[in-house]
Amino acid sequence: MGFGHWLRENAEKYLLEAADDQMISQYPEACAKPYRKKGVIPFFWRKIFVPVYLIIPWDVRRKIILYTSYPGGKRPRWKKYD
Amino acid sequence: MAQDNLRIVIIGGGAGGISAASTAKAVAPDASITLFTEYEDVAYSPCGIPFVHGREIPDFKNLFLQTSEHYAEIGIDLQLQTKVTGIDLENRAVSVGSEPFGWDRLVIATGFEYDEPDIPGINMDGIHYVKNIRRAMEFDKVLDQIKKIVVVSATPIGIEMAGNLAHRGLETHLIDEGAWLMSEVADPDIMEPVRESLEEMGAKIHFGTGVLEFKGSNGKVNTVVTSSGEIDCDAVVVAASKKPNNHLSRDAGIELGATGGIIVDDHMRTSAKDVFASGDCTEIIHGVTDIPIQGLSGSHAYSQGRVAGANAAGDDRSYDPVYIPWGMVGGKVQIGGVSLGETLHKALGIPHLVAFATGISRARYYPGVSRIRVKLIADPETHRIMGAQMSGGEGIKERADFLAFVIKRGVTLEDLAWMENVYSPPIGALMEPIALAAQAGLAKLAKRN
């Protein structure tokens, strides 16, 4: 697994967890307490990566995501509707 | 421009592969087209499997869309039960057994495989994955002889299986680590009616529950050990997430992206010359976020296969970024949406405004009327629609299709709030639920300002 793949897989998991927590407080009647694994690695992602990620503005963050998505940061050609 | 004596090889017989083969044949009738699949069948709908188990569809035969003979008649050489073991880019050949088989253009449509959970006992007998129709036929006979079944993971296929197995009369347990059903893609308020419906059908739902171990006797599963206790069972369906099946591509040196899918451009070209790819083995650009994503639906694989097949045959077709209209039936409730829901907008940290309303599907006095919850997600600055999620009794699919087009064309909350809509008592209400949600969004914005 390459760095980009590893980063994306973990980022997705823990960012989704953080979003789930917000949704649980917003819709408590439709949610249960989720099952979460504990440990040092989850602690790092939950307490360090997620807060840092969320303070970076979305436009900057999108550029980082795109850069880490491809080998050498080179995006293939796709139509853009903007 | 079509090339004389063009040899096109396709690896994979799912929606991406079979549509690539048919389209290539239509574009270049004189080309030699060979499709390799390791399975016994092509051209069937795996998405229909849960509904045969649930006896909503009477027979697996109904899921076949074309016969193998049909493809032979139109000049496609189908090589069933034939595994491709390697791709040689330099010599333009695939390895079939120990023999090389040459190509001028190659389409990779190797699909997905399940992300097998790392749980003790996962390889026991009685643990089933929903994918191949022949295995499903065998499993259906097992279902005739058992009483209790556990479905692991409330993914879309897990929910369809749980609903259908409960409908069949089995004691069905659905286990998921999340706080609500389909928590990786859908929002809790949208999924709540599905939970209620599944429970009404008799399914037992265990949220926030991790699977710790599968236990059994004589190699056959009979207990699922979870973080909330043990559940006895006669069989287990694992509905884990899909991941791209890209061993061949990786070994060949074809570039893969951060999702693990093959990187393709809008012509479905890979990093290797004259090699195209389509379906679940690829990653595709999301129209709203611009980010590559992977693991879409059969309809996406089919469309991508058409583009890949046409281009492999010498045409010049492009595929658009995706907005992903989706829909399904969970229990007896229709749910669906387009692009990202509220949860995923929060996860990515995209600035967004959420607007929702509950309307009705027909005139309120007309028999069969059902409630429709529509949730729109819009850009708070431009008011452009970025996503939607819905639940209801009918009409969700059509609204999701419409909203996908709306997002692609940059439609705003204002446009939807003042849209015109069909009013006819048996099929449409006076006030369209989408317009009601957009009006609620504008009211929310007005309060903020």
Side-chain angles (χ1 to χ4, degrees), chain B residues 108-121:
Chain B
I108 302 170
T110 44
F112 75 92
E113 56 191 357
Y114 282 109
D115 194 6
E116 195 174 277
D118 184 20
I119 300 169

Side-chain angles (χ1 to χ4, degrees), chain B residues 3 26 53 105 116 147 173 181 210 231 300 310 375 400 408 443:
Chain B
Q3 173 187 320
H53 289 320
R105 309 266 165 77
E116 195 174 277
K147 291 197 168 108
H173 296 260
L181 297 171
I231 302 172
H300 292 94
K375 186 175 188 179
K408 192 169 183 173

Side-chain angles (χ1 to χ4, degrees), chain B residues 345-420:
Chain B
H345 273 89
K346 282 189 195 306
L348 282 164
I350 302 173
H352 63 283
L353 168 93
V354 180
F356 48 84
T358 301
I360 48 177
S361 62
R362 318 171 173 195
R364 62 182 167 73
Y365 50 81
Y366 205 90
V369 61
S370 65
R371 286 157 67 86
I372 296 184
R373 181 174 176 83
V374 174
K375 186 175 188 179
L376 298 174
I377 292 118
D379 183 322
E381 295 298 320
T382 63
H383 304 177
R384 284 173 68 160
I385 309 298
M386 300 193 295
Q389 294 212 335
M390 293 166 285
S391 59
E394 59 185 355
I396 298 301
K397 177 251 188 278
E398 291 78 5
R399 287 180 174 86
D401 284 342
F402 165 70
L403 287 168
F405 201 70
V406 153
I407 297 175
K408 192 169 183 173
R409 293 297 174 217
V411 164
T412 63
L413 281 172
E414 285 82 354
D415 294 326
L416 290 181
W418 296 98
M419 68 184 272
E420 58 178 349

Side-chain angles (χ1 to χ4, degrees), chain B residues 244 246 261-262 264 268 277-284 293-295 304:
Chain B
N246 277 335
I262 298 169
V264 289
M268 310 310 293
S278 63
D280 278 325
C281 61
T282 66
E283 57 177 39
I284 301 294
I293 53 167
Q294 185 279 323
Q304 290 162 25

Side-chain angles (χ1 to χ4, degrees), chain B residues 134-214:
Chain B
R134 300 279 173 137
R135 304 299 89 75
M137 289 172 181
E138 290 162 17
F139 186 61
D140 202 67
K141 290 176 192 151
V142 173
L143 293 176
D144 281 335
Q145 294 155 20
I146 66 170
K147 291 197 168 108
K148 292 183 186 176
I149 192 158
V150 170
V151 179
V152 178
S153 286
T155 55
I157 192 78
I159 288 172
E160 286 180 344
M161 284 298 284
N164 278 286
L165 294 171
H167 182 252
R168 188 173 172 137
L170 296 172
E171 181 184 316
T172 305
H173 296 260
L174 176 59
I175 302 176
D176 194 83
E177 293 185 1
W180 65 90
L181 297 171
M182 268 169 57
S183 58
E184 290 191 357
V185 288
D187 297 338
D189 54 326
I190 295 299
M191 295 308 293
E192 182 61 3
V194 176
R195 180 192 64 79
E196 287 169 5
S197 177
L198 286 172
E199 287 183 342
E200 274 170 22
M201 291 170 75
K204 295 175 173 59
I205 297 175
H206 308 263
F207 289 126
T209 301
V211 176
L212 306 178
E213 186 182 357
F214 297 105

Side-chain angles (χ1 to χ4, degrees), chain B residues 216-411:
Chain B
S217 55
N218 302 322
K220 189 177 176 306
V221 69
N222 60 23
T223 306
V224 180
V225 183
T226 78
S227 57
S228 314
E230 295 192 353
I231 302 172
D232 292 340
C233 64
D234 302 310
V236 173
V237 174
V238 179
S241 300
K242 297 191 289 184
K243 63 177 187 180
N245 176 11
N246 277 335
H247 310 287
L248 282 176
S249 303
R250 182 183 292 111
D251 293 348
I254 293 167
E255 282 184 351
L256 307 181
T259 65
I262 298 169
I263 297 173
V264 289
D265 68 5
D266 61 354
H267 278 56
M268 310 310 293
R269 286 181 287 235
T270 70
S271 61
K273 189 173 183 325
D274 293 330
V275 179
F276 300 79
S278 63
D280 278 325
C281 61
T282 66
E283 57 177 39
I284 301 294
I285 299 296
H286 188 281
V288 172
T289 63
D290 227 15
I291 293 171
I293 53 167
Q294 185 279 323
L296 301 173
S297 69
S299 66
H300 292 94
Y302 181 80
S303 308
Q304 290 162 25
R306 291 185 65 212
V307 172
N311 291 336
D315 210 343
D316 180 21
R317 300 272 165 199
S318 64
Y319 187 73
D320 284 351
V322 290
Y323 293 82
I324 326 168
W326 62 275
M328 59 179 282
V329 175
K332 292 180 178 169
V333 178
Q334 292 185 21
I335 49 168
V338 57
S339 183
L340 312 179
E342 188 181 1
T343 312
L344 284 172
H345 273 89
K346 282 189 195 306
L348 282 164
I350 302 173
H352 63 283
L353 168 93
V354 180
F356 48 84
T358 301
I360 48 177
S361 62
R362 318 171 173 195
R364 62 182 167 73
Y365 50 81
Y366 205 90
V369 61
S370 65
R371 286 157 67 86
I372 296 184
R373 181 174 176 83
V374 174
K375 186 175 188 179
L376 298 174
I377 292 118
D379 183 322
E381 295 298 320
T382 63
H383 304 177
R384 284 173 68 160
I385 309 298
M386 300 193 295
Q389 294 212 335
M390 293 166 285
S391 59
E394 59 185 355
I396 298 301
K397 177 251 188 278
E398 291 78 5
R399 287 180 174 86
D401 284 342
F402 165 70
L403 287 168
F405 201 70
V406 153
I407 297 175
K408 192 169 183 173
R409 293 297 174 217
V411 164

